[in-house]
Amino acid sequence: MSKSLLIVESPAKVRTIKKILGRDFDVRASVGHVIDLPPSRLGVDLENGFTPEYQVIKGKEKVVRELKKAAKGADAIYLAQDPDREGEAIAWHLAQELGGDRERYQRVLFHELTKSAIAKAVADPQPLNRHRFDSQQARRVLDRLVGYQISPLLWDKVKRGLSAGRVQSVALRLVVERERAIAAFEPQEYWTLAAKLAADQPPVFLGRMAKFDGKKFSPTTEAETMAALEAVKNAEFVVAKVKTSERKKKAPPPFITSTLQQEAFRKLGFAPKRTMGLAQRLYEGLQTNEGQVGLITYMRTDSHRVASEAVAEVRGLIAETYGKEYVPAKPPHFKARKGAQEAHEAIRPTSSRRTPQSLEGYLKKDELALYRLIWNRFVASQMAPAIYDRTLAEITAGPALLRASGQVLRFKGFTVLYAESKDENGTKEDPDGLLPPLAPEQKLTLKELLPKQHFTQPPPRFTEASLVRELEERGIGRPSTYASILATVQSKDYVKRQKKHLVPSPLGMMVSDLLVENFPQVMDVGFTAGLEESLDQVEEGGRDWRELLSEFYGPFSQALEKAKQDMRQIKGKGLPTDIDCPTCGKKMAIRLGRNGEFLACSGYPECKTTADFTRSAKGEVVLEEPAPDPGIDCDKCGAPMVVKKGRYGPFLACSAYPKCRNIRPLDENGKPAAKAEPELIGEKCPKCGGELVIKPTRAGGRFISCSNYPDCRYSRGVPVGVDCPKCGGALVERRSRRGKQFYGCDAYPKCDYATWDRPVPEPCPDCGHPFLLHKKYKKGQFLRCPNKDCGYQRPFEQTTDEG
């Protein structure tokens, strides 16, 4: 008996859906895209209507073969990729690659992976959406045209390995412009004057001076402020007016992609990429007391719409849990932003009855934290507003008018469950305190006058949360792209994360400036937002995708040709500065090295003077004083040693370089560190027969090397006494490019097994796994079995030197 074939994107979904659909369906995964543009060339036919030259992704040949085999015996094929543009593209590509009668292919949209939603979607399939596919195809080609043609230009002009992107470069520009605005900011002085007052009943409260001599009180100097203080310090403080009102604070809407990323960053400290990875798992389904079940609706959405069934369920839950007074008379309505895809729902639990408490034994810590955040936000969004009693009082004091305000929470409403976080530049949630009972003509007692000096503050640096909000507000990118945009600008070292803030690197600022100079249209925020709207129009069937690409490519190709000639040449020449070379007097230029920026004489190679520099708060280049002569001679050739800066900080290097390459580390006090004696391991070098020794690395690690170095360059990692579980080789200590220690197989690259946790040669007492892992958490250190199905763990007690 033939089955229906249903293809999803991820294997995790397969497990969830198989249990629901049963034996009549063969459920398989494409594991994401199966075809794409070629990775090594442009792959777009510019002479033939921008036709993409698709090919099967390397490594996906087996997946395609197995899907073709399954499709041959299927009476119907359901393409159940994600309900967005990327999912639509995968569905179209699968239909093209699997071939056969097109009428067999049906599109199925799962907005949530629950029994009822899956059954409903399969019972009511849709045709493939050509317009949505064209929109994704246009975006893919646009990104390829920009990235694959500007990036090689940056390699030629600046540094190999750089990249540019149609949207990522605009995001970089926002970060760079914010940094420049901070550097250019000039603080302005201003003052405030408040009076600490007492009425007949407590509490003591503050009245802030609002007017003086009938004009708005906004002093900018201490003299103005003290003049006002002198005028009122002996005056009678009298209540002139009291106004009471009711203030309602409505619940925030349920999450969409951008607000989930922002709130997860503020409340949980999750980067957007981490948030989306966790949300993907919650959506695709996890093991619970009900079995494998999808816990949230689809997480890439910009719509606040909620299904009527979900609203009815949560209103019943609120009434049972908190009382009927917490259920509003009508379900709240949340206005969607312009261009939102209302076919999607907001991000919500698939069932509000599935409380976070009921999942505590099943989800991992971070999964549960994100689920609780989504659950709390959704339930709160359907609750009644919080109600405050608000009082505003005006108080006269001689020539001055003061104002005081206060409020009291009368009904908690949604705040019983949820409080929305704010960014640094947000306003305080409830700045007002409590006021005592006040009445007109009531006399008050002055306790103290409080003059205070202030300075205006620069705009804050972006955090990942506030940059996502900025991108959304400006119409740059879409819900599916925010996380990848932020990850890309950081992975390319254009932007560094300092604590919670995003700070552009000098390289990022240089690249942004060059792109703005040479590609003003591509880097224009308004133009990029307009392209997003055009792509939406393609999806809605209101615009032809090839016409859109043609309109973009004409001006872009002209700018590209001009940039090849006019873009400043940084590689080899550097970025000019006004600093004179201390050796020959020519101007110094900023050059890019392996360890960052440095100053080099523009007269190179005749003058080889280099120097380190810093940047002032205004971004100006400041020449660093050269390091003092350490007064140490090279122990190999006798030439003087000099202080150099490298990836891991300052060190001593022979001045006779490159003839002599001797270096010595410096200790924490800047003094030459004593050389550690190599540790003999009792083995002979397999290359030359010399003694093998353990040596330290500059990054703080260790490795095994031949004692005849540099004549013999044999080396290998230090073994940890554990065999590789993948191939049987030895696991050894290794260091990542950023200097972080990990443990990998010595057969690399033939075997790619690796772990961040140190393997310990002790079998698991529960399942017999040949080794345990030394895990380090904030709460302590543990030995844990690497077998995911085992779960054995015990506190770690160090008895030997782990190196």
Short mmCIF file of all heavy atoms in Angstrom, two decimals, residues 762-772 783-794:
data_model
loop_
_atom_site.label_atom_id
_atom_site.label_comp_id
_atom_site.label_asym_id
_atom_site.label_seq_id
_atom_site.Cartn_x
_atom_site.Cartn_y
_atom_site.Cartn_z
N GLU A 762 37.98 7.90 33.04
CA GLU A 762 37.24 7.16 34.05
C GLU A 762 35.91 6.72 33.45
O GLU A 762 35.14 7.56 32.97
CB GLU A 762 37.00 8.03 35.28
CG GLU A 762 36.20 7.34 36.37
CD GLU A 762 35.89 8.29 37.52
OE1 GLU A 762 36.68 9.22 37.78
OE2 GLU A 762 34.83 8.11 38.17
N PRO A 763 35.63 5.42 33.41
CA PRO A 763 34.37 4.97 32.80
C PRO A 763 33.16 5.39 33.62
O PRO A 763 33.23 5.53 34.84
CB PRO A 763 34.51 3.45 32.75
CG PRO A 763 35.52 3.12 33.81
CD PRO A 763 36.45 4.28 33.89
N CYS A 764 32.04 5.59 32.93
CA CYS A 764 30.80 5.95 33.61
C CYS A 764 30.30 4.75 34.41
O CYS A 764 30.14 3.65 33.85
CB CYS A 764 29.75 6.39 32.59
SG CYS A 764 28.12 6.71 33.31
N PRO A 765 30.03 4.90 35.71
CA PRO A 765 29.56 3.77 36.52
C PRO A 765 28.14 3.31 36.18
O PRO A 765 27.75 2.21 36.55
CB PRO A 765 29.64 4.32 37.95
CG PRO A 765 29.53 5.79 37.80
CD PRO A 765 30.19 6.12 36.50
N ASP A 766 27.38 4.16 35.47
CA ASP A 766 26.00 3.78 35.14
C ASP A 766 25.87 3.08 33.80
O ASP A 766 25.20 2.05 33.69
CB ASP A 766 25.10 5.03 35.15
CG ASP A 766 24.80 5.52 36.56
OD1 ASP A 766 25.29 4.87 37.51
OD2 ASP A 766 24.10 6.54 36.70
N CYS A 767 26.48 3.65 32.75
CA CYS A 767 26.30 3.08 31.41
C CYS A 767 27.57 2.48 30.82
O CYS A 767 27.51 1.88 29.73
CB CYS A 767 25.74 4.13 30.46
SG CYS A 767 26.94 5.40 29.97
N GLY A 768 28.71 2.67 31.48
CA GLY A 768 29.94 2.08 30.99
C GLY A 768 30.67 2.87 29.92
O GLY A 768 31.65 2.40 29.36
N HIS A 769 30.20 4.09 29.62
CA HIS A 769 30.91 4.93 28.63
C HIS A 769 32.38 5.05 29.05
O HIS A 769 32.67 5.23 30.24
CB HIS A 769 30.26 6.31 28.55
CG HIS A 769 30.70 7.12 27.37
ND1 HIS A 769 31.89 7.80 27.37
CD2 HIS A 769 30.14 7.34 26.16
CE1 HIS A 769 32.03 8.42 26.21
NE2 HIS A 769 30.99 8.16 25.45
N PRO A 770 33.31 4.92 28.10
CA PRO A 770 34.74 4.81 28.49
C PRO A 770 35.36 6.03 29.17
O PRO A 770 36.45 5.93 29.71
CB PRO A 770 35.43 4.54 27.14
CG PRO A 770 34.48 4.99 26.09
CD PRO A 770 33.10 4.78 26.67
N PHE A 771 34.74 7.20 29.12
CA PHE A 771 35.31 8.36 29.81
C PHE A 771 34.20 9.31 30.24
O PHE A 771 33.07 9.23 29.77
CB PHE A 771 36.35 9.09 28.95
CG PHE A 771 35.80 9.69 27.68
CD1 PHE A 771 35.26 10.97 27.66
CD2 PHE A 771 35.82 8.98 26.50
CE1 PHE A 771 34.77 11.53 26.50
CE2 PHE A 771 35.34 9.53 25.32
CZ PHE A 771 34.80 10.81 25.32
N LEU A 772 34.55 10.20 31.17
CA LEU A 772 33.63 11.25 31.64
C LEU A 772 34.17 12.60 31.18
O LEU A 772 35.32 12.72 30.77
CB LEU A 772 33.50 11.22 33.17
CG LEU A 772 32.96 9.94 33.78
CD1 LEU A 772 33.02 10.01 35.32
CD2 LEU A 772 31.53 9.66 33.33
N LEU A 783 31.73 16.00 37.18
CA LEU A 783 32.07 14.98 36.19
C LEU A 783 30.75 14.45 35.64
O LEU A 783 29.86 14.06 36.40
CB LEU A 783 32.87 13.84 36.82
CG LEU A 783 34.33 14.15 37.16
CD1 LEU A 783 34.98 12.94 37.80
CD2 LEU A 783 35.11 14.54 35.90
N ARG A 784 30.64 14.47 34.31
CA ARG A 784 29.37 14.11 33.69
C ARG A 784 29.59 13.14 32.53
O ARG A 784 30.56 13.26 31.79
CB ARG A 784 28.67 15.37 33.18
CG ARG A 784 27.26 15.16 32.67
CD ARG A 784 26.63 16.48 32.34
NE ARG A 784 25.26 16.32 31.89
CZ ARG A 784 24.45 17.33 31.57
NH1 ARG A 784 24.88 18.57 31.68
NH2 ARG A 784 23.23 17.11 31.17
N CYS A 785 28.66 12.21 32.37
CA CYS A 785 28.76 11.25 31.28
C CYS A 785 28.39 11.94 29.97
O CYS A 785 27.35 12.62 29.90
CB CYS A 785 27.83 10.07 31.53
SG CYS A 785 27.88 8.83 30.21
N PRO A 786 29.20 11.78 28.90
CA PRO A 786 28.86 12.41 27.62
C PRO A 786 27.71 11.74 26.88
O PRO A 786 27.20 12.28 25.91
CB PRO A 786 30.17 12.31 26.81
CG PRO A 786 30.95 11.24 27.46
CD PRO A 786 30.53 11.13 28.88
N ASN A 787 27.31 10.55 27.35
CA ASN A 787 26.16 9.85 26.75
C ASN A 787 24.87 10.59 27.12
O ASN A 787 24.48 10.61 28.29
CB ASN A 787 26.12 8.41 27.23
CG ASN A 787 24.98 7.62 26.62
OD1 ASN A 787 24.21 8.15 25.81
ND2 ASN A 787 24.87 6.36 27.01
N LYS A 788 24.21 11.20 26.12
CA LYS A 788 23.02 12.01 26.39
C LYS A 788 21.88 11.21 27.00
O LYS A 788 21.02 11.76 27.68
CB LYS A 788 22.55 12.69 25.10
CG LYS A 788 23.53 13.73 24.57
CD LYS A 788 23.02 14.37 23.30
CE LYS A 788 24.01 15.42 22.78
NZ LYS A 788 23.55 16.05 21.53
N ASP A 789 21.84 9.91 26.73
CA ASP A 789 20.76 9.07 27.26
C ASP A 789 21.04 8.58 28.67
O ASP A 789 20.19 7.91 29.28
CB ASP A 789 20.55 7.85 26.35
CG ASP A 789 20.10 8.27 24.95
OD1 ASP A 789 19.37 9.28 24.85
OD2 ASP A 789 20.47 7.58 23.98
N CYS A 790 22.23 8.90 29.20
CA CYS A 790 22.60 8.40 30.53
C CYS A 790 22.25 9.40 31.63
O CYS A 790 21.45 9.13 32.50
CB CYS A 790 24.09 8.06 30.56
SG CYS A 790 24.69 7.54 32.19
N GLY A 791 22.88 10.57 31.61
CA GLY A 791 22.59 11.59 32.60
C GLY A 791 23.39 11.49 33.89
O GLY A 791 23.14 12.23 34.84
N TYR A 792 24.37 10.57 33.97
CA TYR A 792 25.18 10.46 35.19
C TYR A 792 25.99 11.73 35.42
O TYR A 792 26.60 12.28 34.50
CB TYR A 792 26.12 9.26 35.10
CG TYR A 792 27.09 9.17 36.26
CD1 TYR A 792 26.70 8.68 37.50
CD2 TYR A 792 28.41 9.63 36.12
CE1 TYR A 792 27.59 8.63 38.57
CE2 TYR A 792 29.31 9.58 37.18
CZ TYR A 792 28.88 9.08 38.41
OH TYR A 792 29.75 9.04 39.47
N GLN A 793 26.02 12.17 36.69
CA GLN A 793 26.80 13.36 37.05
C GLN A 793 27.11 13.32 38.53
O GLN A 793 26.29 12.88 39.35
CB GLN A 793 26.00 14.63 36.72
CG GLN A 793 26.72 15.93 37.06
CD GLN A 793 25.97 17.15 36.58
OE1 GLN A 793 25.88 17.41 35.39
NE2 GLN A 793 25.41 17.92 37.49
N ARG A 794 28.32 13.76 38.89
CA ARG A 794 28.68 13.88 40.31
C ARG A 794 29.64 15.04 40.48
O ARG A 794 30.29 15.47 39.52
CB ARG A 794 29.32 12.58 40.80
CG ARG A 794 30.76 12.37 40.36
CD ARG A 794 31.42 11.27 41.19
NE ARG A 794 32.84 11.21 40.98
CZ ARG A 794 33.45 10.46 40.08
NH1 ARG A 794 32.72 9.69 39.28
NH2 ARG A 794 34.77 10.48 39.97
#
